[in-house]
Amino acid sequence: MLINVTYFTAGPRHILNATCGTQSTEVNAAIMAYVDALQFPFLCEMLGEEAGAEVEEYLRRVDEDETEANEEMESLCKRLRQSFADYVFYKIIGENNTQGTITGLVQLKCANAYVAPINRQVQTWNRMVARNRLIKSWCSSEDCKVGGIVMSDKMLTKINTLNL
């Protein structure tokens, strides 16, 4: 995996009850389910389908101890991690104040009052875009040894509260 739960335990991406220890395993599992589901689409948006698939396969082999760390791939992955954490957080806060049921969506109830997530989503997305622009510059430089990278314009475009 490109990231883990530690990216959501403090700071601007803090998720309540996300921990590095053995507590809150349900919250941690939910976060990692998002990471697992979003990693490949993110890599394809950031790198193009071919390079995205190559990085995804590299990460799988490293996770399963089937290969040694590759300096060029690790350099790229290091740059992608914070951006991917923002991408995951953007998706989580946009999707988790309702729950799907067979009859439609229902708003979740809890002791805390809910607020619309759009302002936080905009801040998170735009922080990610700023990082992505730096990544794009690096990918265009001689320092990047991974070839065939084609970044989607979507990942370089800031949004506002109207999602425009």
Side-chain angles (χ1 to χ4, degrees):
M1 290 285 131
L2 193 58
I3 63 172
N4 58 34
V5 173
T6 61
Y7 287 82
F8 306 97
T9 59
R13 290 185 297 261
H14 179 253
I15 295 176
L16 188 64
N17 295 325
T19 64
C20 298
T22 58
Q23 300 174 4
S24 303
T25 54
E26 287 182 25
V27 172
N28 292 353
I31 292 168
M32 289 310 295
Y34 269 91
V35 169
D36 186 47
L38 295 172
Q39 181 171 283
F40 185 64
F42 172 81
L43 290 173
C44 289
E45 290 287 343
M46 288 296 291
L47 308 173
E49 286 190 31
E50 189 173 312
E54 186 179 339
V55 171
E56 176 81 1
E57 178 62 17
Y58 168 75
L59 291 168
R60 185 199 60 77
R61 289 192 325 255
V62 168
D63 286 348
E64 296 176 4
D65 292 326
E66 294 178 5
T67 190
E68 296 288 320
N70 174 299
E71 187 176 326
E72 288 84 18
M73 286 291 211
E74 286 299 323
S75 182
L76 176 59
C77 289
K78 178 182 175 185
R79 286 168 173 77
L80 292 171
R81 285 186 174 102
Q82 293 290 335
S83 181
F84 180 49
D86 282 338
Y87 184 80
V88 170
F89 188 67
Y90 171 84
K91 295 289 190 176
I92 287 173
I93 61 178
E95 295 176 1
N96 279 305
N97 65 345
T98 60
Q99 178 66 48
T101 69
I102 195 68
T103 58
L105 293 176
V106 295
Q107 187 167 8
L108 298 174
K109 297 177 184 176
C110 80
N112 299 325
Y114 285 103
V115 296
I118 191 67
N119 289 330
R120 189 83 175 269
Q121 280 186 290
V122 168
Q123 292 169 351
T124 302
W125 183 269
N126 290 342
R127 183 175 55 240
M128 179 195 70
V129 167
R131 284 188 177 102
N132 291 351
R133 290 175 179 178
L134 294 173
I135 293 167
K136 183 173 173 70
S137 293
W138 179 80
C139 289
S140 301
S141 75
E142 292 178 9
D143 294 334
C144 179
K145 306 296 184 208
V146 179
I149 295 174
V150 181
M151 194 177 293
S152 166
D153 288 341
K154 170 181 132 181
M155 302 305 279
L156 300 168
T157 305
K158 291 190 174 189
I159 62 173
N160 60 33
T161 55
L162 299 175
N163 204 17
L164 301 174

